[in-house]
Amino acid sequence: MTIRYICLPNILDMKLLKKIALILISLIILIALALVIYLQTTKPIYEGEENLGNISKPTTVYFDEYGVPHIYADNQKDAMTTLGYVHAQDRLWQMELMRRIAPGRLSEIFGSKLLKTDKFFAGIGIDENSKEAVANLDKNSQSYILANAYLDGINQYIEQGTKPVELRLLGIKQEKFTLKDVYNIFGFMSFSFAMAQKTDPLLTDIRDKFGMDYLKDFGINGELGTKQLKSFQGKYKEYSEISKSVAGLLECSPIPAFIGSNSWVIGGAKTKNGKVILANDPHIMYSQPGTWYEAHISCPDYEIYGYYIAGTPFPLLGHNHNYAYGLTMFENDDVDFFAEEDNPNDNKQYKTIDGFKNYTYKQKIIKVKDSADFKLNVKASIHGPIVNGLLDGLKSEKSVAMSWIYTQQKPEPKANGAKLNEILEAVYQLSHAKDLESFHKNIELIKAPGLNIMYGDAKGNIAWITSGKLYKVDKSVNTNFILNGANGIDDKKEWLPFAKNPAAINPDWNYVYSANNQPEAIDGYLYPGYYLPKDRATRIDGLLSPKNNWTKEDVSKMITDNTSATAESVVANMTKTINPALLSENETKALTVLKNWKGSNELEDIAPSIYNKWIYFYLKDTFEDELGEESFNLLLSTHIVKQMIAAQSQNAASPWWDNVNTKEKKETQSEILTQSFKEAVASLEKQLGSDVNDWQWKKIHKVEFQHPIGKVKLFSKFFNVGSFPISGTNEVINNQLFIYSDDAEILAKGGPSTRRIIDFSDIENSWSVLPTGQSGNPMSKHYDDQSELFVNGKFRKMKLNKAEIIKTATKLVFKPKE
């Protein structure tokens, strides 16, 4: 007889484990359900009624099918208060980030990983400049009154609205928004326009290590013959550590930097309907949410359809029935670095033309989440803050000062009414212009950043006008390098009157354009800067010049054009040096594809995959041996590398071809280009397989719109948008910025932050698109509802007709609080 034993404790253990598992599953379901319910409560409110303080009469907001608010108010003050409220409910998290970077307050919410960023921005003086500028504002001016009404709307939302999920995740206790926050946001925007901080120190190191012969290929004195903008006055109708550190800070910043742009305005003489057409697509690093918030304001005495940066009251881009304006980056040089000469007997002093002067010192406290406060000691000379203590890795024996026009602006004599940093008044005036004359006049208020401001109106006027306080330096001074702070020559500037700023007003060729390229010389003087290569400018000019019947539809195809004006000639010159007898079968096929290429960068194209891989290996094999890995990677992130590819690659006498690591051999142009081509093909075979026909651009070139919290993998699906295959490439009109690399996927890091087409023959049906959506709230249906339109080069209406708006809109009425 078999005796069976039953282990009762094991049975009990299994039952207990099942109960525990059931409880855990139930808890997870309850938590998930609670989270879903909570997230539903965070959605923006697009219809119904709300009470709002400090408005005189009920104000109606119609949200169209893409979430754009159309604000109908009795007066501008009520409209601005309402704008602040609705802007905050869609973008409060973004506003919080934007106001924190310039004063160095990101570590408060992200911890010590952003301390390097905070040290730099806290040290360069934007916050102090903002404080001084606000103290000097005219409190009776409309710009002051309306800006404060906008901030009041934001602050009312903070008090009574739903807190964004990001602020809850990070445990942020919000403070009221102030005018200093507005100025700090403009200050960061202005800094991100500059390229000197990434370029000057690197070029100085190359000069000091290798000599000026090595810089001839870079065209730093304008030798490369870049496409230059024509002015026309018509009538009214070891220093490289600085570069590396600043580039790293901007790369790691949770806030996108401005990087370039396209814009053109076509006069009525060249359009089918005889009316002006304006096109604009400012290029900004991609992010989620995107840079711009669209809003349409209509009052009895005012109307504007504007594009707003989070936390700022007046639009940088806009239009109404009478005029339209847009912008691109001028890329002029408004940042200089000076090597100071310390007193050998007192290191608290530095040499000037007038003798030794004392450095100034101040201490700033940076609060760091979950850590002790950081005490930042900021040292400064007459030229600006000493960056040695602000940037990690800079071990220069000399103190290096950063002089930036934005923070160096000084109040001018009150007799002419000028004040310190008039950026708020300037942006207000541009969005309230009565005509081209008043618009032009008020651009003078913008001392920095340098901008190309584009204008068109219903009367037929077109204009390109540059902003920025421009200057000349001594002929012996090259501002592309670190300058001498002690000799009294390098820092001497001849400030130029605004009348000397490059501009073209109603030119007789009937169009104006800008693609961040250099203006032609004025009075024989080429303005120094960090201009982009001629590719986009050549393509834009080449398309605009011969055609005289432009329509909105034609412009929409042009603004999404993916053809390079220079790649075909670059390939022709580079392939001349390759000996076909040295190539494998696949290499021969790849070479044939390139030789038959017409420069297009569509998703199905194969040539862009080969070309961009080859360009990377050509640059690596040519420059990395001299520069080293870190400085080479830094070079790849600058505008100057794009500028010099066409010229250097065909210069057989360039000293860069020789590999300095091979002491007994001197490499030639042919050897380096052949070697790099073979490396490019081998890389593509490894990443995409041996069939050249499988190397389509869509498999390599992609875009993902990343949220700062979405960089954490756990939250990426919820916060990020994409990824998507995307057409375009570097320096075509549809400019998709990426850094050359050997990565299997090339991610577009930046590109059009919006595409706008304003047609004065049909102004109420002008077109636009944003990269992702209007809202920064992940629970809003407008968080990503434009992304498919954007990546496919499509558009939607910017509505101005009230009857049309009401047909498809939701209605939110704000009533005055009693």
Side-chain angles (χ1 to χ4, degrees), residues 376-583:
L376 177 67
N377 296 307
V378 182
K379 174 182 171 183
S381 72
I382 55 171
H383 299 117
I386 305 300
V387 296
N388 301 60
L390 307 179
L391 295 171
D392 291 352
L394 179 58
K395 298 178 177 67
S396 169
E397 292 181 5
K398 288 194 172 185
S399 297
V400 180
M402 188 182 92
S403 178
W404 177 28
I405 288 177
Y406 186 89
T407 52
Q408 293 279 317
Q409 296 176 66
K410 303 296 180 188
E412 297 176 22
K414 289 189 176 180
N416 65 12
K419 300 180 183 69
L420 176 78
N421 193 342
E422 298 177 276
I423 189 74
L424 184 72
E425 182 68 20
V427 180
Y428 166 79
Q429 292 291 351
L430 295 186
S431 62
H432 286 74
K434 301 301 180 187
D435 51 34
L436 174 55
E437 185 177 3
S438 67
F439 187 88
H440 187 180
K441 177 184 174 183
N442 285 297
I443 291 174
E444 185 174 2
L445 299 175
I446 305 173
K447 306 300 189 296
L451 300 169
N452 295 297
I453 299 176
M454 315 300 287
Y455 176 94
D457 66 28
K459 295 177 181 177
N461 289 298
I462 64 173
W464 154 65
I465 306 162
T466 57
S467 75
K469 189 70 173 172
L470 303 181
Y471 59 88
K472 284 185 181 181
V473 293
D474 189 86
K475 289 181 180 179
S476 66
V477 177
N478 190 325
T479 58
N480 289 291
F481 302 119
I482 304 288
L483 303 177
N484 186 326
N487 64 11
I489 299 172
D490 288 15
D491 61 358
K492 193 175 289 183
K493 291 181 172 67
E494 177 193 342
W495 296 100
L496 302 176
F498 179 63
K500 295 292 185 183
N501 277 40
I505 297 171
N506 291 327
D508 53 17
W509 53 89
N510 294 307
Y511 63 91
V512 292
Y513 70 93
S514 169
N516 317 118
N517 43 308
Q518 186 172 40
E520 65 184 11
I522 302 290
D523 296 341
Y525 184 72
L526 276 175
Y527 291 110
Y530 303 89
Y531 306 105
L532 282 152
K534 62 185 178 182
D535 307 44
R536 283 183 288 124
T538 299
R539 181 68 174 167
I540 291 169
D541 192 37
L543 291 172
L544 289 176
S545 180
K547 186 175 170 66
N548 294 307
N549 61 343
W550 285 95
T551 65
K552 178 172 59 179
E553 290 75 17
D554 294 332
V555 174
S556 74
K557 293 174 184 175
M558 180 174 166
I559 206 169
T560 54
D561 179 75
N562 293 315
T563 300
S564 169
T566 59
E568 193 176 355
S569 63
V570 170
V571 166
N573 287 318
M574 290 175 71
T575 55
K576 281 179 189 175
T577 68
I578 294 179
N579 183 351
L582 300 177
L583 302 183

Side-chain angles (χ1 to χ4, degrees), residues 281-345:
D281 60 326
H283 301 156
I284 300 175
M285 300 303 283
Y286 286 136
S287 64
Q288 181 58 9
T291 299
W292 304 110
Y293 181 80
E294 296 180 41
H296 171 212
I297 290 174
S298 180
C299 307
D301 64 343
Y302 178 67
E303 181 180 41
I304 197 75
Y305 190 114
Y307 283 67
Y308 299 80
I309 289 177
T312 64
F314 308 120
L316 289 178
L317 320 172
H319 76 282
N320 54 31
H321 286 83
N322 301 317
Y323 75 104
Y325 62 99
L327 61 83
T328 75
M329 275 53 93
F330 186 3
E331 307 288 4
N332 60 304
D333 188 0
D334 60 8
V335 175
D336 291 314
F337 290 94
F338 291 90
E340 306 292 7
E341 187 175 324
D342 287 356
N343 184 340
N345 300 315

Side-chain angles (χ1 to χ4, degrees), residues 577-585 587-588 591 595 674 678:
T577 68
I578 294 179
N579 183 351
L582 300 177
L583 302 183
S584 68
E585 182 181 353
E587 289 164 355
T588 302
L591 189 65
K595 285 184 173 181
T674 301
K678 285 176 168 288

Side-chain angles (χ1 to χ4, degrees), residues 110-124:
F110 291 113
S112 58
K113 62 185 176 183
L114 284 177
L115 183 57
K116 289 180 182 179
T117 303
D118 282 349
K119 282 167 58 181
F120 179 74
F121 281 103
I124 65 174

Side-chain angles (χ1 to χ4, degrees), residues 771-783:
T772 55
Q774 171 78 349
S775 181
N777 187 320
M779 294 304 293
S780 170
K781 64 181 179 180
H782 304 302
Y783 187 68

Side-chain angles (χ1 to χ4, degrees), residues 10 171 187 203 256 300 318 433 450 472 477 572 631 641 708 719 738 753 810:
N10 286 344
L203 293 181
K472 284 185 181 181
V477 177
S631 290
V641 75
F719 286 109
F738 58 83
S753 55
T810 58

Side-chain angles (χ1 to χ4, degrees), residues 613 687 699-702 723 741-747:
K613 189 73 78 173
Q687 293 170 354
K699 295 181 180 178
I700 295 176
H701 192 227
K702 298 182 180 179
S723 68
S741 77
D742 186 34
D743 293 343
E745 283 191 356
I746 295 176
L747 292 178

